[in-house]
Amino acid sequence: MRTITTTAELADYCKEAATHDYVTVDTEFLRERTYYSKLCLVQLAMPGTTDDNAVLVDPLASGISLQPLYDLMADESTVKVFHAARQDLEIFFHDGDVIPAPLFDTQVAAMVCGFGEQVGYETLVRKIAKETVDKTSRFTDWSRRPLTEAQKTYALADVTHLRQIYEYLRDQLAKNKRAKWVSEELSVLTSPATYQIDPANAWERVKVRTSSGKFLAVVRELAKFREAYAQERNVPRSRVYKDDALTELASTKPKDLNDLSRSRLLLREARKGEIAEGILAAVAAGMACAPENVPQGDKTREKLNVNPALADLLRVLLKAKTEDMGVAAKLIASASDLDMIAAGERDVAALNGWRFEAFGEDALRLCNGEIGLAVKGRAVKVISL
């Protein structure tokens, strides 16, 4: 197993990789103690049936520059193949200011090709490559050196079997004419906005049980402070304070350190110093928010006038269509999407792009009374009315 530890070696390998149609890629990283992932290992493999052209790249090696790798990731002539690429792409975006392109994600492709929802790599290895993957090294410390032989074997398997998986799924997509479906799905992964977290919008990820404007204003300011603090110091946001502590603070609205000391959920380190000052300032800013500037909670579902019978029919239609096509149902529409369609909403993901072709067009026809559903044996069939 070859490990690249110098810039010159990496440049030579990437130059050769760029002459091929594709290269498979994976990373190993740590994120338990940092806000941004710490890249610890990169695995690469060029097309072939042996491990001779597969390598491990050590980003922690003294003096190595990953610029040749970033240049390869940006080379439009070579497809970069990942499995469940989001976290890998986030690392390349933040560390190398590049999003690999063209991109192929075998997890997305597998869902389009009938392998189920969020299918794991080892499942595809077993079903397509007819091999098994030893996952015992999965949660080891990838920052420690030297790496064990077990770690190297595990890491390399994440890109060697990926070659066969990619070629199989690529051919299946060409056969069933669904390559465009995958391309549409990957547009989110290839957008820089996916990896740019604006502290001002961090509150939207905090789950709350009320839509009170004043409460949400405090949540927004507390989440904004936490995100900015975590980004600046590269620490996990949970090390600043967790979501349950954040919502507790939004409820109790502490005005001084004495109030803050009464918090049940706040970490001891957050009751003093910069974090404590930031909390009190955030609470004060939220309380002082003008009525016209308070955030609005998601009241979409509250306003929906869902026709329950129609919603149930849409669920049956979705199940019938996806079983017939061999596509994961949740990839096309969620339960809330179906409720929105049944309530007359039309600005729904399931009614756009490839989803419209696969399901949305018939969903609208069902809503308009143009088609019905009939049972034939164990199958559900669409009939024109």
Side-chain angles (χ1 to χ4, degrees):
M1 288 177 285
R2 178 186 171 196
T3 301
I4 290 177
T5 58
T6 69
T7 306
E9 286 181 285
L10 180 58
D12 288 342
Y13 183 87
C14 290
K15 182 178 180 180
E16 182 182 355
T19 66
H20 292 274
D21 292 338
Y22 73 86
V23 60
T24 55
V25 192
D26 191 36
T27 68
E28 306 299 339
F29 54 88
L30 294 179
R31 198 172 190 171
E32 290 79 7
R33 297 183 294 273
T34 57
Y35 181 89
Y36 299 105
S37 297
K38 178 182 180 181
L39 182 61
C40 299
L41 194 68
V42 181
Q43 304 97 280
L44 301 167
M46 290 180 273
T49 56
T50 69
D51 294 349
D52 295 340
N53 55 6
V55 298
L56 305 175
V57 180
D58 188 355
L60 305 183
S62 178
I64 193 173
S65 168
L66 295 184
Q67 192 55 51
L69 174 64
Y70 300 144
D71 292 341
L72 174 63
M73 293 298 104
D75 189 332
E76 293 282 346
S77 65
T78 302
V79 176
K80 270 64 72 173
V81 182
F82 294 79
H83 180 82
R86 194 191 187 289
Q87 289 184 300
D88 303 307
L89 301 190
E90 184 178 9
I91 292 172
F92 284 120
F93 178 76
H94 287 295
D95 288 6
D97 194 27
V98 62
I99 295 179
L103 173 70
F104 189 97
D105 189 324
T106 55
Q107 187 177 67
V108 175
M111 288 193 286
V112 170
C113 290
F115 285 87
E117 299 161 7
Q118 303 296 315
V119 60
Y121 178 67
E122 52 265 45
T123 300
L124 295 182
V125 171
R126 186 177 67 255
K127 291 186 175 181
I128 296 176
K130 309 302 180 185
E131 298 282 354
T132 58
V133 177
D134 182 1
K135 306 297 285 187
T136 55
S137 297
R138 185 175 186 178
F139 297 111
T140 55
D141 185 349
W142 292 99
S143 67
R144 296 187 64 178
R145 295 295 183 271
L147 295 172
T148 66
E149 291 303 305
Q151 284 179 305
K152 293 180 181 180
T153 299
Y154 161 82
L156 211 60
D158 278 348
V159 289
T160 52
H161 298 310
L162 193 55
R163 297 174 298 194
Q164 188 175 349
I165 293 169
Y166 164 68
E167 292 176 2
Y168 174 86
L169 293 174
R170 176 197 61 192
D171 294 345
Q172 283 294 109
L173 291 171
K175 182 180 178 180
N176 59 27
K177 295 180 173 57
R178 294 177 185 170
K180 182 182 176 184
W181 295 12
V182 175
S183 296
E184 286 186 31
E185 288 303 292
L186 295 182
S187 63
V188 174
L189 289 177
T190 55
S191 170
T194 301
Y195 312 103
Q196 295 168 331
I197 302 178
D198 185 350
N201 299 326
W203 71 277
E204 296 173 352
R205 298 198 311 272
V206 180
K207 294 181 180 180
V208 297
R209 296 181 178 180
T210 177
S211 57
S212 165
K214 189 62 72 174
F215 177 84
L216 291 178
V218 178
V219 167
R220 179 177 63 187
E221 296 301 323
L222 285 168
K224 178 181 177 180
F225 164 72
R226 179 179 67 173
E227 203 73 23
Y229 185 95
Q231 287 179 355
E232 183 179 343
R233 291 159 180 79
N234 195 25
V235 297
R237 62 177 67 89
S238 62
R239 287 269 298 274
V240 186
Y241 41 83
K242 297 181 180 180
D243 281 3
D244 56 358
L246 188 155
T247 54
E248 179 194 44
L249 292 168
S251 296
T252 59
K253 302 176 181 60
K255 297 178 181 179
D256 52 37
L257 292 177
N258 187 49
D259 289 345
L260 208 57
S261 68
R262 297 191 180 95
S263 170
R264 295 183 302 108
L265 303 174
L266 200 60
L267 297 172
R268 182 179 301 175
E269 295 78 5
R271 300 169 188 244
K272 57 186 178 180
E274 288 183 306
I275 298 179
E277 293 173 3
I279 290 173
L280 295 175
V283 171
M287 293 298 293
C289 182
E292 63 271 19
N293 295 326
V294 299
Q296 299 298 313
D298 184 7
K299 299 181 180 180
T300 303
R301 293 189 59 80
E302 295 177 12
K303 298 177 181 177
L304 289 181
N305 184 17
V306 180
N307 180 331
L310 181 55
D312 288 342
L313 285 174
L314 287 169
R315 285 168 171 74
V316 175
L317 175 65
L318 178 63
K319 187 174 187 296
K321 298 283 286 185
T322 53
E323 286 183 351
D324 185 55
M325 293 183 295
V327 178
K330 285 186 179 179
L331 186 63
I332 293 181
S334 65
S336 61
D337 286 338
L338 299 179
D339 285 344
M340 291 178 70
I341 295 171
E345 297 289 325
R346 295 298 177 257
D347 185 16
V348 182
L351 300 180
N352 291 288
W354 71 268
R355 290 177 174 82
F356 181 77
E357 174 187 342
F359 168 73
E361 184 174 13
D362 275 346
L364 292 181
R365 292 174 66 203
L366 181 66
C367 292
N368 295 333
E370 297 171 9
I371 62 171
L373 303 175
V375 177
K376 186 175 183 181
R378 294 193 172 190
V380 175
K381 301 293 183 182
V382 174
I383 56 174
S384 296
L385 301 178

